[in-house]
Amino acid sequence: MPRLAAASLAGTAIEFYDFFVYGTAAALILGPLFFPTFSPMAGTLAAFATFGVGFVARPLGSILFGHIGDRRGRRPVLVASLLLTGASTVAVGCVPTYDSIGVAAPLLLLVLRFLQGLGLGGEWGGAVLLAVEHAPARRRVLWSSFPQVGPALGFLIANGVVLGLSSALTEAQFAAWGWRVPFWAAGVLAVAGLWLRSSLAESPSFLEIDDHARVPLAEVVRHHWRLLLLTGGGLAIGYAIFYAVTTWSLAYGTERLGVSRGVMLTCVMGAVLVKGALTPVVALLGDHYGRRPLCLAGCAAAALWMFPMVALLATGAPLPMFLGFLGAMLAFITMFAVIAAYLPELYEPRVRCTGAAVGYNLGGVLGGALTPIVATALAEQGGRVPWGVAAYLTAIALISLGCFAALPETRPVPVGGAAEAAAG
């Protein structure tokens, strides 16, 4: 289990590095380079729109790779998704800017961002299922939480690289070529990830399936449509929190508050670092107390914290901003530390890869794709303190709370045993 968990963590860290480095670049530099005819605010919104395309692609990736995972095995998904995400990320770093090729530049960004999302949509299901289906039942949340540490690690690496480059280079150098380096680095990371995953064994639960679903998506939609909608709605607040903190706040802090890029990145990275470190600790609580109670607690905490977080951000001071982000990340991880075990436990093995991955990535569309765009527009209409953003995030938290309240608990029900209870 430690070896398998390490390989899953490394793979998700690499793929989320690819995904996050685009979000950071969209917040800091892509607007003026690829949408120079727009105003600064409109350019940021346009860059965030290309960022959102990755979330639209993620459910499609989960359908494609989920089909492979349910029909051919979890292991092939890990290799194919990593190759696709890595190659498209490297290609983003090679796209000429608007000044060189005109409107073709943002169009190429759009296509490559779509491919990034397609690959990431398959990554989560394969990595999590290998951990869940190998793990002993009483420690399933703990072992499945290690792939959930990957996003935090990927974010820290991505932003650490951007922070280092922006500190070492002049603004002109960073705009000319420095922003491309983090994208090129994805190629090296992808090769390392493929090497780590080359010797992983196939999931025992998959090998035990005698009757594979012919069209897993059709079976999931027919028998588990309610479960898909509830899990997508429940996870929406987690995505909304994460991208409000890690993407929208970067643009808001640097453009509206005049805070330096380095200070903003440091505050956000500090909060994400604590979140990643506490993930296995919270996962142990999930094994002990159950999955659903922690999801409900995380949603409630998010609903209570969004107004304080926005108020602390509006100060523009490093310590209050860090505390605001930290509170949000703690609410986030209370839910997402247990999700990697919770979602697969809700589905029977024959459709588990498709069902869990589509539900997970549907939450990304509902909560992650629109949040930077909506938050930027709401902040533009408000004063120094963007209360509209806080209200928007609080509303999502309450909707997610209702969705989790309607889901069943899966502990200590055996894997797959809650599917029938949730399907109706």
Side-chain angles (χ1 to χ4, degrees):
M1 284 308 304
R3 179 172 159 273
L4 190 148
S8 296
L9 187 157
T12 53
I14 292 165
E15 292 221 35
F16 275 91
Y17 165 90
D18 297 348
F19 201 73
F20 289 148
V21 78
Y22 190 101
T24 304
L28 298 178
I29 195 68
L30 294 186
L33 293 179
F34 289 88
F35 304 95
T37 60
F38 292 16
S39 68
M41 181 57 64
T44 299
L45 284 169
F48 280 154
T50 63
F51 173 75
V53 167
F55 286 98
V56 176
R58 282 174 65 169
L60 299 178
S62 64
I63 293 169
L64 170 64
F65 289 105
H67 184 90
I68 297 170
D70 284 325
R71 295 282 299 167
R72 303 297 177 189
R74 321 314 191 195
R75 193 169 170 269
V77 170
L78 298 181
V79 175
S81 61
L82 186 59
L83 279 172
L84 178 59
T85 310
S88 55
T89 304
V90 172
V92 169
C94 301
V95 175
T97 62
Y98 185 93
D99 289 342
S100 299
I101 59 173
V103 73
L107 290 177
L108 282 172
L109 270 190
L110 204 66
V111 171
L112 293 172
R113 180 60 177 173
F114 181 87
L115 293 176
Q116 266 192 330
L118 206 66
L120 191 63
E123 160 65 24
W124 186 86
V128 163
L129 259 62
L130 271 182
V132 168
E133 294 179 339
H134 277 91
R138 66 186 184 87
R139 285 289 178 261
R140 193 175 291 137
V141 179
L142 173 63
W143 289 114
S144 66
S145 73
F146 285 93
Q148 294 295 80
V149 178
L153 186 57
F155 176 84
L156 290 171
I157 296 171
N159 284 269
V161 171
V162 172
L163 179 59
L165 287 167
S166 62
S167 300
L169 303 176
T170 64
E171 287 289 336
Q173 289 172 327
F174 186 77
W177 57 268
W179 68 271
R180 299 181 183 273
V181 174
F183 291 95
W184 295 337
V188 178
L189 294 174
V191 171
L194 290 171
W195 176 77
L196 281 171
R197 291 181 164 182
S198 61
S199 60
L200 291 181
E202 184 53 82
S203 159
S205 293
F206 175 80
L207 296 175
E208 292 170 2
I209 299 173
D210 296 322
D211 182 25
H212 295 280
R214 292 187 60 188
V215 185
L217 178 64
E219 193 167 318
V220 168
V221 172
R222 187 181 306 117
H223 299 296
H224 306 294
W225 61 270
R226 180 173 175 270
L227 183 57
L228 278 180
L229 294 178
L230 288 175
T231 52
L235 294 172
I237 184 55
Y239 283 100
I241 288 173
F242 193 87
Y243 289 101
V245 170
T246 62
T247 302
W248 166 73
S249 70
L250 290 179
Y252 180 79
T254 54
E255 294 173 8
R256 289 290 299 276
L257 302 180
V259 182
S260 74
R261 182 187 300 156
V263 169
M264 289 303 305
L265 284 172
T266 301
C267 291
V268 173
M269 288 171 63
V272 173
L273 176 63
V274 175
K275 183 215 70 149
L278 290 179
T279 299
V281 178
V282 179
L284 285 171
L285 297 177
D287 275 321
H288 187 73
Y289 295 106
R291 291 65 161 138
R292 184 170 170 269
L294 268 72
C295 290
L296 293 173
C299 290
L304 294 171
W305 188 248
M306 293 302 95
F307 277 90
M309 183 195 78
V310 167
L312 291 168
L313 168 63
T315 66
L319 182 58
M321 289 194 299
F322 167 72
L323 293 175
F325 297 153
L326 179 60
M329 287 292 102
L330 293 177
F332 167 87
I333 203 55
T334 303
M335 294 174 277
F336 272 59
V338 302
I339 283 299
Y342 193 18
L343 263 63
E345 287 173 341
L346 290 167
Y347 291 91
E348 56 188 311
R350 56 186 272 117
V351 295
R352 182 175 293 149
C353 194
T354 298
V358 172
Y360 185 81
N361 288 294
L362 179 60
V365 175
L366 298 174
L370 295 178
T371 292
I373 300 170
V374 173
T376 299
L378 289 173
E380 181 69 9
Q381 302 304 316
R384 180 178 176 85
V385 183
W387 297 121
V389 177
Y392 170 73
L393 294 173
T394 302
I396 296 177
L398 294 174
I399 292 171
S400 294
L401 183 67
C403 290
F404 279 123
L407 285 170
E409 175 58 79
T410 57
R411 174 192 170 271
V413 178
V415 173
E420 292 78 12

